[in-house]
Amino acid sequence: MMQREAKISNYFLAAYCVVCLLLLSLPLSGPVRALKAGVVYLVDPGIFAGESAQERVAQLPGRIRDLITADQENQTLRAQAQESLWLEDNLRQLNLENQRLRALLGLKAPRGWTPLWARVMARDPLNRYHSFLVDAGRDDGVAVDDPVLGPSPKGLAIVGRVVEVRSRASTVLLLTDELSAVAADISSGTVEGLVQGQGNGGLLLNYLPPGAKPREGETVYTSPTSAVFPGNLPVGTVIAIRPEDPFLAVKSAEVRPEVSAGALADVAVLIRGAAHPAQSGAAR
Amino acid sequence: MKALRAIARASGLFLGAALLQWLWSSHFAPYGLAPQLLLVLTVSEASRRGAPSAMALGFFWGLFLDSMGVRLFGANALALVLLAYAAGLVRHQMDSGEAAPQAVISIVASWGYFLFLGLVSWIFTQRFSWIGWTGFVVLPFYNGLLAAALAILRPRRRAW
């Protein structure tokens, strides 16, 4: 019995290893992309349904608490109508939500772009500095390389860009990922460098010319020369200047991102040009 | 009939665990720390029912995890398949279905999993994908606790 199981295990191991190595070796081939699309097709509806159910479950304790409170007050004060207390509580919750949405909608997107607000739907703790999934996709007008911004004290700031688009969801590559880079200026606007993700939550402003004098506390903004991101959007703040390497003709500085991607609940995906018909109202 | 029941059980376990992993890691992850439920279940399945079924589940769970990322499609699948195989080998040497052995195996498997993913990333993208010292130190013990809890709560099944 054990020998039979061991034999089957060995065959399965060989087969699965071959398949996995093929998937890893040929990531851009048609069959591999078709397989990934198939897995996504099977999995996405479950995630959407789960997100909807989670929101409903999260509201339940508040509603139960409100019902109990209204019933107790109705028993002690007959004059106070139960409905007015219930409406007052709903209004308070609606006011809080209204304030939050107003704060988000009050942030202005760069000209020539239309912001589409989306919720961060799924994030893998092992990839918290690399990517997350948002609930806006092709049906909403999202395309690959669309910039993604998040709210910050300095307004909308860079979070990353869209790298994969599905019909109702998109994968966002964060700026802190090692493969991310954006042309950037320091706040004086006189020198341009390249901000690169480090894979550990930090950024590096690299390739500054030798004459550049970045200072700690300076804000880094996207450069108007960036091919993907609009110009003059906050990227982060310089926190340390790296010692100059005598063998390199460039300088670099460590940058703290303006937006902590791990805490984001809502992001704005910038879509080029006028509003897509599916986005009437922009906010979700 | 038995085959249909097995397929239904496997499908239910796959979907339920995948959704629970998504829910836990997206909504209940303080400081970005959430246990690898799928890793723990793969090891548990291998210890209880043997490597073949665990490798199948691990492969598809791995594809689910890979579909949430941007690159290295197949890395998590390969890692979980290898873990299932290794856990199946351990099962032949000792009774690994109890809480304590499950916890220890999960802790060791977690470290191996993180290092293996980093190695695969280094081979295919020339960058060692590092989870960070906090995750590397804390998550294995988080997984171990979860494995012990599952071992206590799950009813013992007859092995293949």
Side-chain angles (χ1 to χ4, degrees):
Chain A
M1 178 75 166
M2 274 193 182
Q3 282 179 345
R4 183 169 164 261
E5 184 185 304
K7 214 172 171 182
I8 294 172
S9 300
N10 292 338
Y11 288 139
F12 274 26
L13 178 69
Y16 285 131
C17 284
V18 165
V19 171
C20 290
L21 288 171
L22 277 174
L23 293 176
L24 286 165
S25 305
L26 305 168
L28 298 177
S29 66
V32 171
R33 290 164 94 172
L35 176 63
K36 187 171 183 183
V39 172
V40 163
Y41 181 78
L42 285 173
V43 157
D44 265 4
I47 292 179
F48 273 98
E51 182 75 18
S52 170
Q54 188 269 335
E55 281 177 23
R56 286 186 185 155
V57 168
Q59 289 167 7
L60 200 56
R63 291 190 176 178
I64 292 175
R65 189 181 59 242
D66 293 338
L67 276 171
I68 294 171
T69 305
D71 185 56
Q72 286 175 343
E73 288 182 348
N74 189 47
Q75 286 177 6
T76 58
L77 300 168
R78 286 189 183 185
Q80 281 186 335
Q82 182 176 350
E83 274 200 25
S84 66
L85 289 174
W86 175 249
L87 286 171
E88 190 180 342
D89 208 43
N90 272 338
L91 184 62
R92 182 177 54 80
Q93 292 182 32
L94 285 171
N95 274 337
L96 286 172
E97 188 180 352
N98 190 29
Q99 282 171 20
R100 182 180 71 83
L101 289 173
R102 191 174 289 190
L104 289 172
L105 288 172
L107 298 166
K108 296 200 184 305
R111 275 194 193 168
W113 300 84
T114 304
L116 171 67
W117 287 96
R119 287 194 75 88
V120 176
M121 201 169 55
R123 48 165 67 95
D124 181 359
L126 291 183
N127 285 317
R128 56 196 288 235
Y129 299 127
H130 301 285
S131 64
F132 55 52
L133 205 64
V134 297
D135 66 349
R138 199 177 303 114
D139 292 352
D140 306 294
V142 177
V144 171
D145 281 340
D146 279 349
V148 177
L149 313 181
S152 78
K154 291 183 182 150
L156 286 172
I158 296 293
V159 171
R161 63 185 171 92
V162 174
V163 290
E164 275 181 16
V165 182
R166 307 166 189 180
S167 57
R168 294 189 299 160
S170 303
T171 305
V172 176
L173 183 70
L174 299 177
L175 194 57
T176 46
D177 182 87
E178 302 98 322
L179 293 182
S180 277
V182 59
D185 299 328
I186 47 179
S187 52
S188 58
T190 53
V191 289
E192 184 173 307
L194 189 72
V195 168
Q196 298 170 305
Q198 298 299 291
N200 58 3
L203 302 171
L204 184 71
L205 176 58
N206 210 350
Y207 303 112
L208 291 170
K213 289 183 171 53
R215 294 186 304 275
E216 289 182 18
E218 267 199 283
T219 302
V220 179
Y221 294 90
T222 53
S223 168
T225 62
S226 170
V228 172
F229 297 96
N232 301 313
L233 288 173
V235 176
T237 306
V238 176
I239 54 172
I241 314 298
R242 286 209 174 163
E244 281 190 55
D245 189 328
F247 297 104
L248 293 176
V250 295
K251 278 186 176 176
S252 56
E254 291 174 20
V255 175
R256 183 183 61 237
E258 198 62 40
V259 178
S260 172
L264 278 176
D266 299 281
V267 295
V269 181
L270 294 187
I271 296 171
R272 289 180 190 273
H276 189 271
Q279 312 156 13
S280 52
R284 282 174 168 254
Chain B
M1 193 64 192
K2 199 175 168 186
L4 275 175
R5 267 215 308 267
I7 290 170
R9 177 194 167 272
S11 306
L13 182 59
F14 167 77
L15 283 171
L19 279 177
L20 193 56
Q21 170 75 70
W22 159 77
L23 186 70
W24 204 327
S25 61
S26 299
H27 296 284
F28 302 108
Y31 307 107
L33 297 172
Q36 270 78 51
L37 175 66
L38 301 182
L39 180 153
V40 169
L41 282 175
T42 302
V43 168
S44 171
E45 187 75 6
S47 301
R48 287 167 173 266
R49 288 180 175 264
S53 63
M55 292 197 317
L57 281 169
F59 177 75
F60 289 105
W61 277 330
L63 287 185
F64 162 74
L65 291 172
D66 289 326
S67 72
M68 310 261 277
V70 292
R71 51 181 181 268
L72 293 177
F73 184 68
N76 280 287
L78 183 60
L80 289 178
V81 161
L82 291 172
L83 277 179
Y85 183 76
L89 290 178
V90 170
R91 175 174 171 261
H92 293 150
Q93 312 300 326
M94 57 189 273
D95 180 12
S96 55
E98 297 299 326
Q102 276 288 292
V104 171
I105 293 171
S106 294
I107 291 171
V108 174
S110 302
W111 280 322
Y113 177 71
F114 298 147
L115 292 173
F116 181 78
L117 286 181
L119 181 66
V120 169
S121 173
W122 182 69
I123 290 171
F124 287 95
T125 66
Q126 285 79 50
R127 279 181 175 83
F128 188 90
S129 175
W130 177 235
I131 185 182
W133 282 109
T134 309
F136 190 75
V137 170
V138 174
L139 281 177
F141 294 99
Y142 206 164
N143 291 344
L145 275 174
L146 180 63
L150 277 175
I152 292 167
L153 292 171
R154 277 179 86 180
R156 292 301 297 263
R157 297 273 185 194
R158 197 171 295 174
W160 276 19

